[in-house]
Amino acid sequence: MGFPESRMRRMRRTEAMRRMVRETKVTVDDLILPLFATFGKGVRNPISSMPGHFQLSVDELVKDCREVVDLGIPAVILFGIPEKKDELGTAAFDRNAPVQRAVAALKKEYGDDLVVITDVCMCEYTDHGHCGVIENGEVDNDATLELLAREAVSHCKAGADMVAPSDMMDGRVGFIREELDEAGFENVPIMAYSAKYCSAYYGPFRDAAESAPKFGDRRSYQMDPPNANEALMEMALDVEEGADILMVKPAGPYLDILAMAREEFDLPLAAYQVSGEFSMIEATAEKGWIDRERVMMESLIGIKRAGADMILTYFSKDVARLLKQAG
Ligand code: PBG
Ligand code: ZN
């Protein structure tokens, strides 16, 4: 059957009709808000490349999460800016460091109303800015595993509900799983940054977390952008190693990877709409060249349609407000 019997436009005539046949929805339940915890008190350092986002001291971060909880956003993911960085990134497992203190304070204030996820990586804590230990000028995989596991355990001791390793070392999911179990945290899930690409879209984040590498780049551990089969391998390995959620990152430029992952795996899928994706929309909207809210929603709908179950996005609060308004 074809035209004129079939007319695809019939079901597009009114908004109510369009709602009836809408295949994909972004809901507040899909959202995870990234937050940057720093030291000090009463600190709200604006991140210039990320409008509306701040490095927050623990007291301010806890206050800001009131709105997050009231809006019904289920989860936040925390990144840390420590007071001191060193060669091994020891602040990553310091129980008085910003992330650990923020986790404890959030759990005290909001209990089970907010899922507190922590990013597990070394780049925010090392003075050289790489995601692991440097040996002979390179990031040493196996030596890094120890440190990551210590960091994950330290986050759990502070009360983290979930840990999210983002370093891209081989074997880290399995290693962290074992160490968590050993420490009595067998019920804490791991959200694995499984297919994490070496992306230029992380630019604004590195300002926010002050985590740009001081020499070289991350190409020897993060994935090469042209590769798709390799992403499936990474994800299969993480499934085997005990990941509870798989992630693709960035999201927008890697929708094909998300769609492939959806086909291949039954675990929940997360997508990270990264800082550069956010900042590009903000900057273009500021120039008046696009409709900010519509592009924001369209970017997220695309990520859901490709197969994501949840989205880490800097738009989380704006989206939740918009959905609330719409009732
Ligand atoms: C740490 C980490 C990064 C991001 C999340 N975790 C930066 C990086 O790998 O350089 C990027 C997030 C974003 O750009 O929003 N490894
Ligand atoms: Zn890192």
Side-chain angles (χ1 to χ4, degrees), residues 268-313:
L269 256 188
Y272 200 142
Q273 182 181 52
V274 301
S275 56
E277 298 178 76
F278 166 81
S279 298
M280 279 172 20
I281 294 174
E282 289 289 340
T284 321
E286 205 180 286
K287 276 194 165 279
W289 291 349
I290 55 168
D291 179 326
R292 179 179 180 276
E293 280 181 2
R294 288 189 56 202
V295 172
M296 167 180 88
M297 290 312 294
E298 193 174 333
S299 69
L300 296 169
I301 283 282
I303 294 165
K304 277 247 24 212
R305 197 182 57 238
D309 297 303
M310 56 195 101
I311 308 173
L312 297 87
T313 173

mmCIF file of all heavy atoms in Angstrom, residues 268-313:
data_model
loop_
_atom_site.group_PDB
_atom_site.id
_atom_site.type_symbol
_atom_site.label_atom_id
_atom_site.label_comp_id
_atom_site.label_asym_id
_atom_site.label_seq_id
_atom_site.Cartn_x
_atom_site.Cartn_y
_atom_site.Cartn_z
ATOM 1 N N PRO A 268 21.532 -2.525 31.709
ATOM 2 C CA PRO A 268 21.149 -1.120 31.519
ATOM 3 C C PRO A 268 22.291 -0.351 30.851
ATOM 4 O O PRO A 268 23.456 -0.591 31.141
ATOM 5 C CB PRO A 268 20.926 -0.619 32.948
ATOM 6 C CG PRO A 268 20.712 -1.834 33.781
ATOM 7 C CD PRO A 268 21.453 -2.950 33.112
ATOM 8 N N LEU A 269 21.890 0.555 29.976
ATOM 9 C CA LEU A 269 22.858 1.340 29.197
ATOM 10 C C LEU A 269 22.795 2.800 29.604
ATOM 11 O O LEU A 269 21.724 3.411 29.589
ATOM 12 C CB LEU A 269 22.490 1.277 27.724
ATOM 13 C CG LEU A 269 23.255 0.399 26.758
ATOM 14 C CD1 LEU A 269 22.784 0.714 25.341
ATOM 15 C CD2 LEU A 269 24.750 0.596 26.885
ATOM 16 N N ALA A 270 23.965 3.350 29.901
ATOM 17 C CA ALA A 270 24.041 4.781 30.204
ATOM 18 C C ALA A 270 24.774 5.482 29.067
ATOM 19 O O ALA A 270 25.626 4.888 28.408
ATOM 20 C CB ALA A 270 24.783 4.996 31.516
ATOM 21 N N ALA A 271 24.416 6.733 28.839
ATOM 22 C CA ALA A 271 25.131 7.552 27.866
ATOM 23 C C ALA A 271 25.535 8.844 28.553
ATOM 24 O O ALA A 271 24.754 9.404 29.325
ATOM 25 C CB ALA A 271 24.243 7.856 26.670
ATOM 26 N N TYR A 272 26.753 9.290 28.283
ATOM 27 C CA TYR A 272 27.240 10.526 28.897
ATOM 28 C C TYR A 272 27.263 11.627 27.842
ATOM 29 O O TYR A 272 28.097 11.608 26.944
ATOM 30 C CB TYR A 272 28.638 10.309 29.475
ATOM 31 C CG TYR A 272 29.078 11.322 30.527
ATOM 32 C CD1 TYR A 272 29.818 10.920 31.634
ATOM 33 C CD2 TYR A 272 28.756 12.679 30.422
ATOM 34 C CE1 TYR A 272 30.233 11.838 32.602
ATOM 35 C CE2 TYR A 272 29.157 13.595 31.382
ATOM 36 C CZ TYR A 272 29.897 13.166 32.469
ATOM 37 O OH TYR A 272 30.312 14.081 33.416
ATOM 38 N N GLN A 273 26.313 12.559 27.967
ATOM 39 C CA GLN A 273 26.355 13.750 27.126
ATOM 40 C C GLN A 273 27.396 14.672 27.782
ATOM 41 O O GLN A 273 27.139 15.284 28.807
ATOM 42 C CB GLN A 273 24.985 14.433 27.082
ATOM 43 C CG GLN A 273 24.979 15.658 26.180
ATOM 44 C CD GLN A 273 23.627 16.351 26.158
ATOM 45 O OE1 GLN A 273 23.077 16.659 27.218
ATOM 46 N NE2 GLN A 273 23.088 16.608 24.983
ATOM 47 N N VAL A 274 28.586 14.737 27.196
ATOM 48 C CA VAL A 274 29.725 15.319 27.889
ATOM 49 C C VAL A 274 29.750 16.845 27.803
ATOM 50 O O VAL A 274 28.945 17.466 27.099
ATOM 51 C CB VAL A 274 31.063 14.725 27.387
ATOM 52 C CG1 VAL A 274 31.082 13.215 27.596
ATOM 53 C CG2 VAL A 274 31.328 15.096 25.937
ATOM 54 N N SER A 275 30.721 17.394 28.514
ATOM 55 C CA SER A 275 30.811 18.852 28.661
ATOM 56 C C SER A 275 30.798 19.588 27.325
ATOM 57 O O SER A 275 30.091 20.584 27.168
ATOM 58 C CB SER A 275 32.073 19.195 29.449
ATOM 59 O OG SER A 275 33.228 18.646 28.830
ATOM 60 N N GLY A 276 31.565 19.107 26.342
ATOM 61 C CA GLY A 276 31.624 19.804 25.055
ATOM 62 C C GLY A 276 30.279 19.789 24.331
ATOM 63 O O GLY A 276 29.910 20.762 23.663
ATOM 64 N N GLU A 277 29.544 18.701 24.473
ATOM 65 C CA GLU A 277 28.217 18.634 23.854
ATOM 66 C C GLU A 277 27.307 19.681 24.490
ATOM 67 O O GLU A 277 26.540 20.365 23.812
ATOM 68 C CB GLU A 277 27.608 17.239 24.039
ATOM 69 C CG GLU A 277 28.388 16.107 23.400
ATOM 70 C CD GLU A 277 27.732 14.757 23.681
ATOM 71 O OE1 GLU A 277 26.709 14.458 23.040
ATOM 72 O OE2 GLU A 277 28.228 14.012 24.555
ATOM 73 N N PHE A 278 27.402 19.788 25.804
ATOM 74 C CA PHE A 278 26.616 20.782 26.554
ATOM 75 C C PHE A 278 27.029 22.198 26.176
ATOM 76 O O PHE A 278 26.188 23.035 25.813
ATOM 77 C CB PHE A 278 26.827 20.533 28.056
ATOM 78 C CG PHE A 278 26.367 21.656 28.955
ATOM 79 C CD1 PHE A 278 25.028 21.779 29.288
ATOM 80 C CD2 PHE A 278 27.272 22.575 29.465
ATOM 81 C CE1 PHE A 278 24.594 22.817 30.114
ATOM 82 C CE2 PHE A 278 26.849 23.608 30.293
ATOM 83 C CZ PHE A 278 25.508 23.734 30.618
ATOM 84 N N SER A 279 28.321 22.455 26.226
ATOM 85 C CA SER A 279 28.801 23.827 26.024
ATOM 86 C C SER A 279 28.550 24.315 24.602
ATOM 87 O O SER A 279 28.310 25.508 24.392
ATOM 88 C CB SER A 279 30.289 23.920 26.357
ATOM 89 O OG SER A 279 30.491 23.606 27.715
ATOM 90 N N MET A 280 28.589 23.418 23.637
ATOM 91 C CA MET A 280 28.314 23.818 22.253
ATOM 92 C C MET A 280 26.881 24.307 22.110
ATOM 93 O O MET A 280 26.607 25.294 21.427
ATOM 94 C CB MET A 280 28.564 22.647 21.296
ATOM 95 C CG MET A 280 30.049 22.504 20.968
ATOM 96 S SD MET A 280 30.550 21.042 20.040
ATOM 97 C CE MET A 280 29.092 20.488 19.306
ATOM 98 N N ILE A 281 25.968 23.625 22.761
ATOM 99 C CA ILE A 281 24.558 24.045 22.709
ATOM 100 C C ILE A 281 24.389 25.379 23.434
ATOM 101 O O ILE A 281 23.752 26.312 22.931
ATOM 102 C CB ILE A 281 23.637 22.957 23.305
ATOM 103 C CG1 ILE A 281 23.671 21.709 22.420
ATOM 104 C CG2 ILE A 281 22.207 23.489 23.461
ATOM 105 C CD1 ILE A 281 22.923 20.503 22.972
ATOM 106 N N GLU A 282 25.009 25.484 24.622
ATOM 107 C CA GLU A 282 24.897 26.732 25.398
ATOM 108 C C GLU A 282 25.457 27.921 24.617
ATOM 109 O O GLU A 282 24.844 28.988 24.555
ATOM 110 C CB GLU A 282 25.654 26.598 26.722
ATOM 111 C CG GLU A 282 25.004 25.671 27.723
ATOM 112 C CD GLU A 282 23.727 26.252 28.315
ATOM 113 O OE1 GLU A 282 23.519 27.482 28.261
ATOM 114 O OE2 GLU A 282 22.915 25.462 28.829
ATOM 115 N N ALA A 283 26.621 27.742 24.022
ATOM 116 C CA ALA A 283 27.281 28.851 23.333
ATOM 117 C C ALA A 283 26.491 29.285 22.097
ATOM 118 O O ALA A 283 26.336 30.478 21.823
ATOM 119 C CB ALA A 283 28.700 28.445 22.931
ATOM 120 N N THR A 284 25.976 28.306 21.377
ATOM 121 C CA THR A 284 25.226 28.627 20.155
ATOM 122 C C THR A 284 23.913 29.313 20.518
ATOM 123 O O THR A 284 23.478 30.248 19.829
ATOM 124 C CB THR A 284 24.955 27.349 19.341
ATOM 125 O OG1 THR A 284 26.112 26.512 19.410
ATOM 126 C CG2 THR A 284 24.676 27.669 17.900
ATOM 127 N N ALA A 285 23.305 28.853 21.586
ATOM 128 C CA ALA A 285 22.043 29.460 22.026
ATOM 129 C C ALA A 285 22.282 30.897 22.489
ATOM 130 O O ALA A 285 21.480 31.789 22.233
ATOM 131 C CB ALA A 285 21.425 28.630 23.147
ATOM 132 N N GLU A 286 23.426 31.085 23.169
ATOM 133 C CA GLU A 286 23.758 32.421 23.662
ATOM 134 C C GLU A 286 23.900 33.406 22.504
ATOM 135 O O GLU A 286 23.554 34.581 22.623
ATOM 136 C CB GLU A 286 25.064 32.317 24.445
ATOM 137 C CG GLU A 286 25.254 33.396 25.481
ATOM 138 C CD GLU A 286 26.584 33.205 26.187
ATOM 139 O OE1 GLU A 286 26.670 32.272 27.015
ATOM 140 O OE2 GLU A 286 27.522 33.961 25.893
ATOM 141 N N LYS A 287 24.371 32.914 21.389
ATOM 142 C CA LYS A 287 24.489 33.764 20.206
ATOM 143 C C LYS A 287 23.140 34.000 19.539
ATOM 144 O O LYS A 287 23.036 34.786 18.606
ATOM 145 C CB LYS A 287 25.428 33.091 19.185
ATOM 146 C CG LYS A 287 26.897 33.359 19.446
ATOM 147 C CD LYS A 287 27.708 32.956 18.225
ATOM 148 C CE LYS A 287 29.121 33.503 18.237
ATOM 149 N NZ LYS A 287 29.229 34.891 17.796
ATOM 150 N N GLY A 288 22.133 33.260 20.004
ATOM 151 C CA GLY A 288 20.808 33.411 19.422
ATOM 152 C C GLY A 288 20.622 32.630 18.135
ATOM 153 O O GLY A 288 19.676 32.868 17.386
ATOM 154 N N TRP A 289 21.492 31.682 17.879
ATOM 155 C CA TRP A 289 21.439 30.954 16.621
ATOM 156 C C TRP A 289 20.568 29.706 16.680
ATOM 157 O O TRP A 289 20.234 29.130 15.653
ATOM 158 C CB TRP A 289 22.870 30.557 16.180
ATOM 159 C CG TRP A 289 23.699 31.733 15.779
ATOM 160 C CD1 TRP A 289 23.261 33.020 15.569
ATOM 161 C CD2 TRP A 289 25.103 31.744 15.531
ATOM 162 N NE1 TRP A 289 24.309 33.820 15.210
ATOM 163 C CE2 TRP A 289 25.465 33.061 15.171
ATOM 164 C CE3 TRP A 289 26.102 30.768 15.575
ATOM 165 C CZ2 TRP A 289 26.760 33.443 14.862
ATOM 166 C CZ3 TRP A 289 27.394 31.127 15.263
ATOM 167 C CH2 TRP A 289 27.725 32.453 14.905
ATOM 168 N N ILE A 290 20.280 29.224 17.871
ATOM 169 C CA ILE A 290 19.378 28.072 18.001
ATOM 170 C C ILE A 290 18.442 28.315 19.181
ATOM 171 O O ILE A 290 18.701 29.175 20.029
ATOM 172 C CB ILE A 290 20.141 26.745 18.259
ATOM 173 C CG1 ILE A 290 21.047 26.876 19.489
ATOM 174 C CG2 ILE A 290 20.925 26.295 17.034
ATOM 175 C CD1 ILE A 290 21.604 25.556 19.978
ATOM 176 N N ASP A 291 17.364 27.535 19.236
ATOM 177 C CA ASP A 291 16.433 27.572 20.367
ATOM 178 C C ASP A 291 16.976 26.600 21.426
ATOM 179 O O ASP A 291 16.945 25.386 21.239
ATOM 180 C CB ASP A 291 15.057 27.135 19.870
ATOM 181 C CG ASP A 291 14.004 27.114 20.974
ATOM 182 O OD1 ASP A 291 14.354 26.795 22.135
ATOM 183 O OD2 ASP A 291 12.838 27.404 20.665
ATOM 184 N N ARG A 292 17.509 27.167 22.514
ATOM 185 C CA ARG A 292 18.211 26.369 23.515
ATOM 186 C C ARG A 292 17.396 25.180 24.022
ATOM 187 O O ARG A 292 17.875 24.040 24.021
ATOM 188 C CB ARG A 292 18.590 27.266 24.705
ATOM 189 C CG ARG A 292 19.314 26.540 25.815
ATOM 190 C CD ARG A 292 19.668 27.508 26.947
ATOM 191 N NE ARG A 292 20.357 26.815 28.012
ATOM 192 C CZ ARG A 292 19.756 26.146 28.993
ATOM 193 N NH1 ARG A 292 18.433 26.100 29.033
ATOM 194 N NH2 ARG A 292 20.462 25.520 29.910
ATOM 195 N N GLU A 293 16.156 25.431 24.443
ATOM 196 C CA GLU A 293 15.365 24.348 25.041
ATOM 197 C C GLU A 293 15.047 23.248 24.033
ATOM 198 O O GLU A 293 15.108 22.063 24.357
ATOM 199 C CB GLU A 293 14.069 24.898 25.634
ATOM 200 C CG GLU A 293 14.315 25.521 26.984
ATOM 201 C CD GLU A 293 13.063 26.055 27.637
ATOM 202 O OE1 GLU A 293 11.957 25.919 27.053
ATOM 203 O OE2 GLU A 293 13.193 26.632 28.729
ATOM 204 N N ARG A 294 14.727 23.666 22.826
ATOM 205 C CA ARG A 294 14.374 22.647 21.831
ATOM 206 C C ARG A 294 15.577 21.811 21.433
ATOM 207 O O ARG A 294 15.474 20.586 21.291
ATOM 208 C CB ARG A 294 13.738 23.308 20.606
ATOM 209 C CG ARG A 294 12.328 23.818 20.904
ATOM 210 C CD ARG A 294 11.612 24.277 19.657
ATOM 211 N NE ARG A 294 11.556 23.201 18.648
ATOM 212 C CZ ARG A 294 11.373 23.405 17.354
ATOM 213 N NH1 ARG A 294 11.262 24.640 16.889
ATOM 214 N NH2 ARG A 294 11.327 22.386 16.526
ATOM 215 N N VAL A 295 16.719 22.450 21.281
ATOM 216 C CA VAL A 295 17.917 21.678 20.922
ATOM 217 C C VAL A 295 18.342 20.780 22.085
ATOM 218 O O VAL A 295 18.732 19.619 21.893
ATOM 219 C CB VAL A 295 19.065 22.606 20.480
ATOM 220 C CG1 VAL A 295 20.357 21.815 20.290
ATOM 221 C CG2 VAL A 295 18.697 23.316 19.184
ATOM 222 N N MET A 296 18.233 21.301 23.286
ATOM 223 C CA MET A 296 18.535 20.484 24.474
ATOM 224 C C MET A 296 17.699 19.207 24.461
ATOM 225 O O MET A 296 18.223 18.091 24.569
ATOM 226 C CB MET A 296 18.238 21.320 25.728
ATOM 227 C CG MET A 296 18.186 20.569 27.031
ATOM 228 S SD MET A 296 17.836 21.680 28.414
ATOM 229 C CE MET A 296 16.045 21.668 28.433
ATOM 230 N N MET A 297 16.378 19.365 24.295
ATOM 231 C CA MET A 297 15.494 18.197 24.318
ATOM 232 C C MET A 297 15.754 17.263 23.138
ATOM 233 O O MET A 297 15.759 16.042 23.289
ATOM 234 C CB MET A 297 14.013 18.623 24.329
ATOM 235 C CG MET A 297 13.546 19.260 25.633
ATOM 236 S SD MET A 297 14.003 18.346 27.140
ATOM 237 C CE MET A 297 13.034 16.854 26.943
ATOM 238 N N GLU A 298 15.994 17.848 21.985
ATOM 239 C CA GLU A 298 16.233 17.029 20.791
ATOM 240 C C GLU A 298 17.529 16.218 20.936
ATOM 241 O O GLU A 298 17.598 15.052 20.541
ATOM 242 C CB GLU A 298 16.299 17.940 19.556
ATOM 243 C CG GLU A 298 16.220 17.202 18.254
ATOM 244 C CD GLU A 298 16.149 18.174 17.061
ATOM 245 O OE1 GLU A 298 15.662 19.314 17.227
ATOM 246 O OE2 GLU A 298 16.596 17.780 15.977
ATOM 247 N N SER A 299 18.539 16.838 21.529
ATOM 248 C CA SER A 299 19.814 16.126 21.719
ATOM 249 C C SER A 299 19.608 14.924 22.646
ATOM 250 O O SER A 299 20.182 13.855 22.435
ATOM 251 C CB SER A 299 20.887 17.072 22.268
ATOM 252 O OG SER A 299 20.619 17.460 23.598
ATOM 253 N N LEU A 300 18.769 15.100 23.661
ATOM 254 C CA LEU A 300 18.549 14.016 24.627
ATOM 255 C C LEU A 300 17.611 12.943 24.071
ATOM 256 O O LEU A 300 17.812 11.750 24.317
ATOM 257 C CB LEU A 300 18.005 14.593 25.940
ATOM 258 C CG LEU A 300 18.995 15.531 26.645
ATOM 259 C CD1 LEU A 300 18.322 16.276 27.776
ATOM 260 C CD2 LEU A 300 20.206 14.760 27.162
ATOM 261 N N ILE A 301 16.613 13.376 23.315
ATOM 262 C CA ILE A 301 15.701 12.402 22.674
ATOM 263 C C ILE A 301 16.504 11.487 21.747
ATOM 264 O O ILE A 301 16.298 10.274 21.708
ATOM 265 C CB ILE A 301 14.597 13.137 21.860
ATOM 266 C CG1 ILE A 301 13.530 13.689 22.798
ATOM 267 C CG2 ILE A 301 13.975 12.215 20.823
ATOM 268 C CD1 ILE A 301 12.542 12.660 23.295
ATOM 269 N N GLY A 302 17.440 12.076 21.020
ATOM 270 C CA GLY A 302 18.262 11.284 20.110
ATOM 271 C C GLY A 302 19.039 10.214 20.858
ATOM 272 O O GLY A 302 19.156 9.075 20.405
ATOM 273 N N ILE A 303 19.546 10.584 22.018
ATOM 274 C CA ILE A 303 20.339 9.656 22.827
ATOM 275 C C ILE A 303 19.450 8.524 23.354
ATOM 276 O O ILE A 303 19.834 7.354 23.337
ATOM 277 C CB ILE A 303 21.036 10.429 23.976
ATOM 278 C CG1 ILE A 303 22.080 11.401 23.394
ATOM 279 C CG2 ILE A 303 21.673 9.470 24.971
ATOM 280 C CD1 ILE A 303 22.569 12.452 24.377
ATOM 281 N N LYS A 304 18.233 8.871 23.762
ATOM 282 C CA LYS A 304 17.293 7.832 24.214
ATOM 283 C C LYS A 304 16.872 6.923 23.072
ATOM 284 O O LYS A 304 16.807 5.708 23.198
ATOM 285 C CB LYS A 304 16.042 8.474 24.830
ATOM 286 C CG LYS A 304 16.214 8.865 26.241
ATOM 287 C CD LYS A 304 15.471 8.177 27.309
ATOM 288 C CE LYS A 304 14.861 6.893 27.473
ATOM 289 N NZ LYS A 304 13.674 6.967 28.334
ATOM 290 N N ARG A 305 16.551 7.547 21.934
ATOM 291 C CA ARG A 305 16.084 6.786 20.778
ATOM 292 C C ARG A 305 17.149 5.792 20.316
ATOM 293 O O ARG A 305 16.850 4.681 19.893
ATOM 294 C CB ARG A 305 15.719 7.762 19.657
ATOM 295 C CG ARG A 305 14.842 7.176 18.553
ATOM 296 C CD ARG A 305 14.598 8.219 17.475
ATOM 297 N NE ARG A 305 15.845 8.695 16.948
ATOM 298 C CZ ARG A 305 16.250 9.972 16.950
ATOM 299 N NH1 ARG A 305 15.471 10.933 17.410
ATOM 300 N NH2 ARG A 305 17.433 10.302 16.483
ATOM 301 N N ALA A 306 18.415 6.183 20.468
ATOM 302 C CA ALA A 306 19.513 5.294 20.071
ATOM 303 C C ALA A 306 19.628 4.092 21.000
ATOM 304 O O ALA A 306 20.235 3.091 20.636
ATOM 305 C CB ALA A 306 20.826 6.070 20.048
ATOM 306 N N GLY A 307 19.050 4.205 22.212
ATOM 307 C CA GLY A 307 19.052 3.035 23.088
ATOM 308 C C GLY A 307 19.454 3.255 24.536
ATOM 309 O O GLY A 307 19.500 2.304 25.309
ATOM 310 N N ALA A 308 19.753 4.490 24.911
ATOM 311 C CA ALA A 308 20.179 4.718 26.292
ATOM 312 C C ALA A 308 19.015 4.580 27.269
ATOM 313 O O ALA A 308 17.898 5.005 26.975
ATOM 314 C CB ALA A 308 20.795 6.109 26.428
ATOM 315 N N ASP A 309 19.281 3.980 28.423
ATOM 316 C CA ASP A 309 18.284 3.907 29.497
ATOM 317 C C ASP A 309 18.416 5.086 30.438
ATOM 318 O O ASP A 309 17.471 5.448 31.128
ATOM 319 C CB ASP A 309 18.482 2.630 30.316
ATOM 320 C CG ASP A 309 18.269 1.395 29.481
ATOM 321 O OD1 ASP A 309 17.173 1.263 28.908
ATOM 322 O OD2 ASP A 309 19.203 0.572 29.372
ATOM 323 N N MET A 310 19.624 5.630 30.514
ATOM 324 C CA MET A 310 19.851 6.782 31.399
ATOM 325 C C MET A 310 20.912 7.683 30.782
ATOM 326 O O MET A 310 21.736 7.223 29.998
ATOM 327 C CB MET A 310 20.260 6.328 32.802
ATOM 328 C CG MET A 310 21.470 5.443 32.838
ATOM 329 S SD MET A 310 21.652 4.609 34.431
ATOM 330 C CE MET A 310 21.022 2.980 34.056
ATOM 331 N N ILE A 311 20.838 8.970 31.141
ATOM 332 C CA ILE A 311 21.732 9.939 30.520
ATOM 333 C C ILE A 311 22.400 10.805 31.588
ATOM 334 O O ILE A 311 21.724 11.417 32.416
ATOM 335 C CB ILE A 311 20.969 10.863 29.537
ATOM 336 C CG1 ILE A 311 20.146 10.024 28.539
ATOM 337 C CG2 ILE A 311 21.940 11.769 28.786
ATOM 338 C CD1 ILE A 311 19.233 10.842 27.635
ATOM 339 N N LEU A 312 23.718 10.806 31.566
ATOM 340 C CA LEU A 312 24.440 11.751 32.406
ATOM 341 C C LEU A 312 24.502 13.051 31.610
ATOM 342 O O LEU A 312 25.057 13.070 30.506
ATOM 343 C CB LEU A 312 25.859 11.254 32.698
ATOM 344 C CG LEU A 312 25.977 9.940 33.490
ATOM 345 C CD1 LEU A 312 25.945 8.734 32.551
ATOM 346 C CD2 LEU A 312 27.244 9.909 34.327
ATOM 347 N N THR A 313 23.890 14.110 32.148
ATOM 348 C CA THR A 313 23.852 15.349 31.392
ATOM 349 C C THR A 313 23.871 16.576 32.297
ATOM 350 O O THR A 313 23.250 16.579 33.360
ATOM 351 C CB THR A 313 22.614 15.422 30.460
ATOM 352 O OG1 THR A 313 22.556 16.732 29.859
ATOM 353 C CG2 THR A 313 21.315 15.156 31.189
#
